[in-house]
């Protein structure tokens, strides 16, 4: 098959859309990005990554990638965190909580659990697709 095909045209449109999205993302980097990087670099323990559903799959991949490149990292399932696994997270760790909406109660409950919650135990970074904070409604 030579010449232009519908597949090649579709591929070019997809790549152009992804390139445009990366430009928007790059333009949106602000001081919060630098603060997050410094927080991660200052971590004395492990980087704990958590998320539920599709965000959980992404969190597992991030934890595996960090671990394979020399950063001590671990995935903690948020439902398991609510049932005892919070005890494995220390003040030396930094938590990355990933969510699309920030409204998943399985993720919000361990993060916002007062004195025993992640935010009182370890520095926590929230990665959200939508601009809002994780909350426990």
């Amino acid at each position: 098959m030579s010449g232009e095909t519908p597949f090649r045209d579709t591929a070019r449109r997809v790549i152009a859309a992804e390139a445009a999205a990366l430009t928007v993302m790059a333009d949106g980097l602000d001081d919060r990005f630098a603060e997050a990087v410094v927080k991660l670099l200052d971590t004395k323990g492990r980087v704990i990554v958590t998320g539920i559903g599709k965000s959980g799959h992404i969190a597992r991949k991030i934890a595996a990638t960090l671990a394979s490149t020399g950063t001590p990292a671990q995935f903690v399932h948020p439902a398991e965190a609510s049932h005892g696994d919070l005890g494995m997270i220390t003040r030396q760790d930094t938590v990355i909580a990933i969510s699309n909406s920030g409204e998943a109660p399985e993720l919000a409950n361990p993060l916002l659990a007062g004195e025993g919650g992640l935010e009182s135990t370890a520095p926590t970074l929230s990665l959200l697709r939508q601009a809002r904070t994780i909350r426990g409604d």
Side-chain angles (χ1 to χ4, degrees):
M1 236 194 237
S2 64
E4 291 299 310
T5 67
F7 303 117
R8 190 174 307 155
D9 188 47
T10 299
R12 286 187 175 131
R13 281 196 317 273
V14 168
I15 291 169
E18 295 296 328
L22 289 172
T23 298
V24 169
M25 185 184 297
D27 292 344
L29 292 178
D30 58 19
D31 291 342
R32 294 173 299 172
F33 175 78
E35 291 166 10
V37 170
V38 168
K39 192 177 281 192
L40 288 170
L41 290 173
D42 287 347
T43 300
K44 304 293 185 232
R46 298 161 298 157
V47 176
I48 306 296
V49 193
T50 189
I52 193 88
K54 179 62 86 175
S55 296
H57 294 299
I58 294 166
R60 282 183 197 276
K61 183 63 178 165
I62 290 171
T65 300
L66 287 169
S68 72
T69 57
T71 299
Q74 178 178 347
F75 173 79
V76 173
H77 193 283
E80 299 299 326
S82 294
H83 296 280
D85 282 359
L86 278 179
M88 70 175 67
I89 301 170
T90 72
R91 293 187 189 284
Q92 301 295 310
D93 299 331
T94 297
V95 175
I96 299 174
I98 302 173
S99 175
N100 179 46
S101 67
E103 296 181 0
E106 301 90 347
L107 187 58
N109 291 342
L111 286 173
L112 304 173
E115 271 306 299
L118 287 176
E119 290 185 328
S120 68
T121 304
T124 303
L125 306 171
S126 298
L127 301 178
L128 306 170
R129 186 174 75 92
Q130 299 177 11
R132 60 178 93 176
T133 59
I134 292 178
R135 57 185 188 185
D137 298 357

